[in-house]
Amino acid sequence: MPARNISIPNQPSNVTNQTITSVSREHRKFRPSAEFQRQANLGSYAAYKRLYAESVNTPNKFWGRQAKELLTWQKPFKKVLDWKLPHAKWFLGGQLNVAANCLDRHLGTARENKAAIIFEGEPGDVRTITYKQLHREVCQFANALTALGLAKGDRAAIYLPMVPEAAVAMLACARLGVIHTVIFGGFSSEAIKDRVNDCQAKLVITADGGWRRGKIIDLKTNVDRALAGTPTVEHVVVLKRTGQPVAFSEGRDRWWHDLVAGVSAEHKAKGHDSEHPLFILYTSGSTGKPKGVLHTSAGYLLGTTITTKYVFDLKETDIYFCTADIGWITGHSYVVYGPLANGATVLMYEGAPNHPEPDRFWDIIDRHGVTIFYTAPTAIRAFMRWGDDYVKKHSLKSLRLLGSVGEPINPEAWMWYHTLIGKKRCPIVDTWWQTETGAIMVTPLPGVTATTPGSCTLPFFGVVPKILDEQGKEVPRGGGGKLFLKNPWPSMLRTLWGDDERYKKQYWSELPGYYFAGDGARFDEDGYLWVVGRIDDVLNVSGHRIGTAEVESALVSHPSVAEAAVVGRPDELKGQALVVFVTLKNGFAASPQHKEELRAHVAKEIGSLARPDDVRFAAALPKTRSGKIMRRILKEIAAGGTVKGDTTTLEDFNVVAALQSQEE
Ligand code: 7RM
């Protein structure tokens, strides 16, 4: 095929007003089986199109109906939407209780004795908690929090491992109208202090420790250190999880089990206004202090409930396993609120995927009969790297649907997921969304959409994605640009806590009237959306702007490469030279010949213009604790500088140290 090596394949020449050039040639299509389609909650493209058209043409009618059907209200809303750009208020005049929507409304139905949570701790302890039991625990904890002096509108920080009590704490706060902020259990004292101070939390809910790869994470010690500088905190509730000795501050600290002992499990859920704040979740900005993304009650609950129902095709009999930690938005929306509002059975796992062996997830799936599995590309690439044998030891026959979230999934990883995990039988939903969007925005619907590896395909109801160039003009199909969302949606963030100016500037000022997602993307000829990476990371190759995902995907298509990250390095001649960092699969060795082979491979796959100038082998890539590659750090390393800027979200600083020590 002579066309493969010249310039940019696959691009209509009339695509001029594009900001990003695409080099992907992925066209395979995977259609849902007739069998899956027949049983799906939404089983035809015509049905999707009809609902989608209604959702964007008459959004108030669509969302008004969904809100009445899917949520239980204590006071009906009067107005669906009040939109004063960039501030939206949804379901005005209405009152509901988010926790009651996740719990109370399932009581007295066939669901009440159904498992809400099947918990597996890393050491192997298993607990099953029914809806009735979870309701009891939440009510009791809510009463205990009230006795501690917590009231509606107060803020409480939650710093817990992935244990059922994390969900109990979130739901108890929601029940009372206390605004929770979950801080990921891997974060440092410094991160706890910043977040607690930013939202002025009165309470911290933590544990003695949590299990990770056979070791104890000293959560309480981290909290104690943080609390030296947090004047607003009055009490700390401590869950006994690992049982190691911890320091206790008399008067301030209370054991969870002491606090609830003898406390009533009766609690009447009051209705809260639709726009009452539900939680703040801090997400790292590229610079400066983390942003406190604020979500409110009814709209967020509706967005997570409706997407869980349709995207995961949820059925009464499913056992649903989302591997995200509750410290991330995915844990909030798709471990706790979305699934529980739908009355699902959620499998919750505390620990690492490779403890005691790299087949822990597959073992869990077989032992518990998991039917729906939702994870991240970074995890999938780790599974690939650990080798297929760990997967092949298990049948995985209970699975019927797979999901991916967090990063663009490269076609190579998609095909592995499809073949090895899904046994070519399970649809894959590649879901694009953000902390800020609250719920899934662009995604296949498993009984409807023919999927293409690497594309998150089509907008969910009410979502209007636009690809725009620097002038704000729409980029024709095939061309790349910046991803924006037009129109408000119920689960959108409402503001950044305490910093509405930053909210306006960050999300609504790139192009007036549009929400700026910060991602680069394109529509292909079928109108499918491809996210090609963060706009800040876009590469400039001889005048072509190319998203990181496509070059990385070309690298990972080489049989030796487990993971790749591409960054630009300032270059006097070319403007930008391409530096790629790769980790190799087991059994492959780094060598100068191997470098040349990878450079040639990219040139063959994409074109010689994208031939990397430099290939660096690494034992690991720097990632955030939710698994996203931190290209900003690699850029600094590639340019030969020291790593500056915020590294508090980095999973493992040793990775950076190792990369830097490779510099000559
Ligand atoms: C849910 C979550 C958001 C950013 C987003 C993208 C990237 C997430 C996908 C994806 C391509 C996907 N929230 N992203 N999902 N890119 N395909 N399916 O991850 O706030 O932590 O991150 O993640 O860049 O803007 S988040």
Side-chain angles (χ1 to χ4, degrees):
M1 261 208 319
R4 280 173 79 91
N5 275 351
I6 54 158
S7 179
I8 309 298
N10 234 355
Q11 289 307 305
S13 54
N14 59 351
V15 180
T16 47
N17 52 332
Q18 56 181 0
T19 333
I20 299 176
T21 306
S22 171
V23 293
S24 166
R25 280 188 308 273
E26 181 59 64
H27 283 298
R28 286 172 285 193
K29 280 254 152 59
F30 295 83
R31 279 164 225 292
S33 67
E35 195 191 343
F36 193 98
Q37 217 156 11
R38 256 196 307 278
Q39 61 79 59
N41 290 345
L42 204 69
S44 81
Y45 189 71
Y48 161 72
K49 260 195 105 155
R50 194 175 55 242
L51 283 167
Y52 180 76
E54 187 201 345
S55 74
V56 297
N57 296 332
T58 50
N60 290 4
K61 179 168 164 251
F62 176 84
W63 288 119
R65 186 180 71 244
Q66 298 298 341
K68 281 182 203 146
E69 277 178 20
L70 294 175
L71 305 182
T72 300
W73 295 85
Q74 302 205 356
K75 192 172 152 212
F77 53 89
K78 292 206 176 69
K79 188 175 178 193
V80 173
L81 171 66
D82 177 76
W83 178 223
K84 294 196 182 70
L85 201 132
H87 294 114
K89 291 184 181 148
W90 286 87
F91 310 115
L92 278 124
Q95 286 190 341
L96 53 61
N97 187 293
V98 171
N101 271 269
C102 293
L103 300 169
D104 306 44
R105 66 167 163 167
H106 306 313
L107 305 187
T109 78
R111 282 180 187 149
E112 74 176 1
N113 293 323
K114 170 181 175 176
I117 298 176
I118 301 174
F119 167 70
E120 180 161 319
E122 199 186 70
D125 48 322
V126 172
R127 262 163 80 193
T128 298
I129 302 165
T130 65
Y131 272 94
K132 211 176 195 173
Q133 291 168 330
L134 188 61
H135 175 262
R136 236 188 102 79
E137 291 204 21
V138 168
C139 287
Q140 200 173 40
F141 197 60
N143 283 328
L145 291 183
T146 306
L148 262 190
L150 269 279
K152 182 169 176 172
D154 287 344
R155 274 80 63 203
I158 298 175
Y159 184 66
L160 282 170
M162 269 303 272
V163 293
E165 286 79 2
V168 172
M170 290 163 78
L171 290 165
C173 287
R175 197 169 185 93
L176 297 172
V178 168
I179 306 165
H180 64 68
T181 186
V182 181
I183 303 171
F184 174 56
F187 277 154
S188 64
S189 305
E190 200 60 25
I192 303 170
K193 190 180 84 190
D194 291 349
R195 287 158 175 75
V196 162
N197 283 338
D198 188 76
C199 70
Q200 308 211 304
K202 258 173 100 168
L203 177 76
V204 179
I205 304 167
T206 189
D208 47 0
W211 292 105
R212 189 80 189 174
R213 238 164 253 131
K215 295 205 178 69
I216 289 174
I217 312 228
D218 279 319
L219 298 171
K220 177 64 163 60
T221 310
N222 290 346
V223 168
D224 285 340
R225 256 189 234 126
L227 263 47
T230 54
T232 55
V233 174
E234 294 170 8
H235 290 290
V236 179
V237 177
V238 189
L239 176 77
K240 189 172 265 194
R241 167 65 186 142
T242 47
Q244 91 272 25
V246 290
F248 237 67
S249 162
E250 242 2 273
R252 188 195 71 181
D253 298 353
R254 303 286 166 82
W255 284 112
W256 180 305
H257 55 263
D258 288 342
L259 198 70
V260 297
V263 170
S264 160
E266 305 269 320
H267 183 274
K268 195 174 163 335
K270 288 203 183 77
H272 302 301
D273 288 343
S274 293
E275 284 297 336
H276 182 69
L278 179 62
F279 65 85
I280 303 163
L281 185 59
Y282 287 90
T283 171
S284 54
S286 47
T287 50
K289 65 176 186 119
K291 304 177 289 220
V293 169
L294 180 73
H295 283 288
T296 59
S297 300
Y300 172 80
L301 187 66
L302 181 60
T304 53
T305 304
I306 189 173
T307 48
T308 305
K309 174 174 173 184
Y310 289 112
V311 178
F312 298 115
D313 190 47
L314 201 73
K315 298 293 185 319
E316 221 45 81
T317 47
D318 276 312
I319 296 187
Y320 164 92
F321 180 17
C322 167
T323 66
D325 191 280
I326 40 117
W328 311 117
I329 189 67
T330 310
H332 285 61
S333 301
Y334 298 110
V335 177
V336 179
Y337 292 111
L340 296 180
N342 278 285
T345 295
V346 176
L347 191 128
M348 189 183 219
Y349 169 59
E350 177 187 31
N354 54 353
H355 187 86
E357 292 291 327
D359 64 344
R360 184 64 181 264
F361 284 176
W362 322 132
D363 184 47
I364 287 176
I365 289 170
D366 273 7
R367 271 189 294 106
H368 296 285
V370 169
T371 57
I372 303 170
F373 179 65
Y374 189 32
T375 196
T378 181
I380 297 169
R381 290 189 295 262
F383 306 145
M384 292 171 75
R385 184 179 188 174
W386 294 334
D388 297 358
D389 289 348
Y390 288 111
V391 180
K392 288 179 179 158
K393 290 204 316 214
H394 304 274
S395 87
L396 305 183
K397 65 172 192 285
S398 56
L399 288 174
R400 67 180 195 90
L401 178 63
L402 303 175
S404 172
V405 60
E407 280 182 292
I409 177 165
N410 48 297
E412 207 65 27
W414 197 102
M415 287 306 298
W416 185 91
Y417 200 29
H418 171 70
T419 312
L420 270 284
I421 307 302
K423 314 290 183 203
K424 304 189 177 164
R425 172 189 79 233
C426 305
I428 297 178
V429 289
D430 173 3
T431 60
W432 178 86
W433 59 294
Q434 308 177 298
T435 305
E436 293 86 344
T437 68
I440 294 167
M441 295 281 107
V442 182
T443 178
L445 294 178
V448 170
T449 319
T451 51
T452 293
S455 168
C456 53
T457 74
L458 299 171
F460 190 73
F461 305 138
V463 179
V464 184
K466 294 276 179 198
I467 311 285
L468 305 174
D469 68 10
E470 296 300 335
Q471 283 72 48
K473 284 227 293 287
E474 242 171 273
V475 178
R477 284 184 180 184
K482 293 177 177 171
L483 176 59
F484 291 87
L485 302 176
K486 202 171 168 275
N487 305 352
W489 61 97
S491 66
M492 68 194 275
L493 81 165
R494 297 304 194 259
T495 187
L496 295 175
W497 183 258
D499 201 349
D500 198 52
E501 281 314 304
R502 191 172 178 196
Y503 165 73
K504 290 181 193 155
K505 190 159 171 283
Q506 181 87 36
Y507 304 107
W508 298 95
S509 64
E510 187 78 13
L511 191 68
Y514 290 83
Y515 170 84
F516 177 48
D519 283 347
R522 70 186 164 92
F523 287 116
D524 68 13
E525 280 75 7
D526 303 324
Y528 278 17
L529 191 79
W530 294 73
V531 173
V532 299
R534 300 292 296 170
I535 274 290
D536 298 343
D537 296 332
V538 164
L539 308 162
N540 194 331
V541 190
S542 315
H544 293 280
R545 287 164 56 80
I546 298 181
T548 49
E550 296 190 340
V551 181
E552 288 161 5
S553 169
L555 279 154
V556 178
S557 74
H558 189 278
S560 69
V561 176
E563 194 151 47
V566 186
V567 298
R569 176 183 68 201
D571 184 272
E572 272 179 32
L573 288 176
K574 302 166 70 170
Q576 228 178 34
L578 284 198
V579 181
V580 312
F581 293 81
V582 295
T583 59
L584 295 176
K585 288 189 190 148
N586 288 341
F588 291 92
S591 71
Q593 295 89 306
H594 203 135
K595 276 190 189 183
E596 284 315 309
E597 190 177 324
L598 294 181
R599 294 181 68 220
H601 178 75
V602 177
K604 173 171 92 37
E605 288 294 308
I606 296 178
S608 46
L609 87 162
R611 183 192 303 273
D613 296 275
D614 195 359
V615 177
R616 302 206 191 167
F617 296 105
L621 300 175
K623 290 183 186 169
T624 65
R625 290 165 198 263
S626 64
K628 295 191 212 298
I629 296 170
M630 292 179 82
R631 293 181 187 75
R632 172 174 60 80
I633 288 179
L634 292 173
K635 248 181 256 179
E636 291 172 328
I637 293 172
T642 50
V643 174
K644 297 182 289 285
D646 183 31
T647 52
T648 54
T649 56
L650 190 66
E651 188 195 16
D652 180 2
F653 194 81
N654 295 324
V655 171
V656 174
L659 285 167
Q660 281 180 320
S661 68
Q662 279 175 29
E663 307 282 303
E664 34 282 88

